[in-house]
């Protein structure tokens, strides 16, 4: 008699139905998408799992226990792979905000450099970033774009899906993307709070950005500008240390977000 399979526990947060739309199969980017992602469904499902595990870990306790800490209600996610300028963006569908669309540029996929592994890595990285937008809270639209983008790249960074040209530092703490992502990771480490970003995200469910009040509270009431200065000094110190003990020379920066100039675009 065949052994009874052990039922797997239900997922902490259900993954909505996942759809794919590719109209022009002949486009080089579409062909690359299929040849470098063995199963689009598995890639999307795994990417959703990564995002949900990062933003809503079991240890996350909501201030108000009802509703339990979780993402917005999402009824479906449709990935559109089609040619357009830029990298990717996420938006609500024509139906409503609960049916999400992730648009991945086939033109962008067509021009990603590197071997098959790198192309697969880049596609998964961009999908994780976009799916973070699907499942994150945004303070009712009041959260600054730089913070929204920083949280999305923090998820990508934590999943080890950042492109090889990413480096710490930048113009300001809320410049967004990897600049803010690395800073958020540094803050988590400084305050020994691995839940700092999930707590920030969850706070944006029930309250607006409100001049960064919740963020400041999570940073032990310190001013973010002072923390950024401290981070820059720490970064400089680490860089000098690295110069003394050179590791492998880093790869040359590759402008992944060249098309469109603005990197990812998100519409809220
Ligand atoms: Zn984005």
């Amino acid at each position: 008699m065949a052994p009874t399979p052990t039922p797997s526990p239900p997922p902490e947060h259900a993954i909505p139905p996942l759809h794919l739309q590719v109209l022009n199969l002949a486009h080089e980017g579409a062909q690359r998408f299929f040849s470098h992602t063995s199963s689009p469904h598995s890639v999307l499902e795994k990417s959703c799992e990564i995002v949900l595990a990062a933003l809503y870990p079991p240890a996350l306790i909501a201030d108000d226990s009802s509703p339990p800490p979780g993402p917005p209600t999402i009824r479906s996610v449709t990935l559109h792979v089609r040619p357009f300028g830029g990298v990717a963006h996420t938006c609500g569908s024509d139906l409503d905000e609960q049916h999400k669309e992730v648009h991945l540029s086939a033109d962008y996929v067509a021009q990603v450099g590197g071997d098959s592994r790198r192309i697969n890595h880049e596609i998964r990285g961009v999908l994780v970033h976009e799916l973070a937008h699907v499942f994150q809270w945004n303070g009712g639209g009041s959260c600054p774009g730089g913070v929204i983008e920083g949280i999305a790249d923090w998820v990508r960074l934590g999943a080890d899906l950042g492109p090889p040209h990413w480096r710490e530092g930048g113009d300001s703490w809320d410049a967004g993307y990897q600049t803010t992502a690395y800073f958020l990771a540094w803050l988590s480490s400084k305050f020994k709070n691995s839940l700092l970003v999930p707590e920030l995200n969850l706070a944006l469910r029930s309250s607006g950005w409100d001049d960064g009040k919740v963020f400041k509270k999570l940073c032990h009431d310190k001013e973010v500008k002072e923390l950024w200065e401290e981070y820059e000094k720490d970064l400089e110190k680490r860089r000098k240390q690295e110069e003394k003990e050179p590791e492998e020379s880093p790869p040359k920066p590759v402008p992944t977000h060249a098309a469109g100039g603005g990197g990812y675009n998100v519409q809220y």
Side-chain angles (χ1 to χ4, degrees), residues 129-130 133 149 177 264 266:
H129 176 105
E130 294 304 327
H133 289 322
E149 297 300 342
Y177 303 106
Y264 316 94
V266 61

Side-chain angles (χ1 to χ4, degrees), residues 88-90 126 129-130 132-133 136 145 148-150 152-153 177 263-268:
H89 65 259
T90 295
V126 172
H129 176 105
E130 294 304 327
H133 289 322
Q136 75 185 149
I148 292 284
E149 297 300 342
D153 266 353
Y177 303 106
Y264 316 94
N265 302 302
V266 61
Q267 295 168 5
Y268 277 107

Side-chain angles (χ1 to χ4, degrees), residues 36-228:
H36 295 291
T37 53
S38 52
S39 158
H41 182 260
S42 301
V43 166
L44 276 172
E45 194 174 52
K46 180 76 192 156
S47 302
C48 288
E49 283 171 7
I50 287 170
V51 171
L52 291 168
L55 292 180
Y56 306 96
L60 187 65
I61 310 285
D63 287 342
D64 46 348
S65 55
S66 178
T73 301
I74 300 297
R75 302 202 181 279
S76 72
V77 179
T78 304
L79 173 64
H80 296 254
V81 182
R82 60 179 183 81
F84 61 92
V87 178
H89 65 259
T90 295
C91 55
S93 75
D94 289 342
L95 292 172
D96 57 47
E97 280 296 315
Q98 294 184 348
H99 293 84
K100 292 287 186 185
E101 293 180 358
V102 171
H103 293 255
L104 172 65
S105 168
D107 292 332
Y108 176 69
V109 174
Q111 58 91 57
V112 174
D115 58 15
S116 182
R117 206 169 148 213
R118 169 74 202 111
I119 296 165
N120 171 277
H121 189 260
E122 180 63 17
I123 290 171
R124 288 188 296 134
V126 172
L127 289 179
V128 161
H129 176 105
E130 294 304 327
L131 288 164
H133 289 322
V134 168
F135 295 111
Q136 75 185 149
W137 293 97
N138 66 0
S142 65
C143 184
V147 178
I148 292 284
E149 297 300 342
I151 290 175
D153 266 353
W154 174 84
V155 176
R156 183 174 177 177
L157 181 68
D160 203 16
L161 287 171
H165 70 270
W166 273 15
R167 291 291 176 274
E168 285 194 67
D171 293 336
S172 65
W173 79 272
D174 57 353
Y177 303 106
Q178 72 267 31
T179 299
T180 303
Y182 279 114
F183 180 56
L184 290 172
W186 180 82
L187 288 174
S188 304
S189 162
K190 175 184 168 60
F191 294 118
K192 297 183 176 54
N193 179 10
S194 60
L195 295 177
L196 189 141
V197 177
E199 284 173 353
L200 173 63
N201 171 61
L202 196 63
L204 291 167
R205 170 176 71 177
S206 49
S207 62
W209 178 246
D210 198 10
D211 215 16
K213 255 186 203 160
V214 177
F215 187 45
K216 196 175 172 185
K217 196 173 144 199
L218 286 167
C219 294
H220 299 204
D221 281 325
K222 290 202 161 66
E223 291 293 335
V224 67
K225 278 184 183 168
E226 286 168 24
L227 287 165
W228 175 255

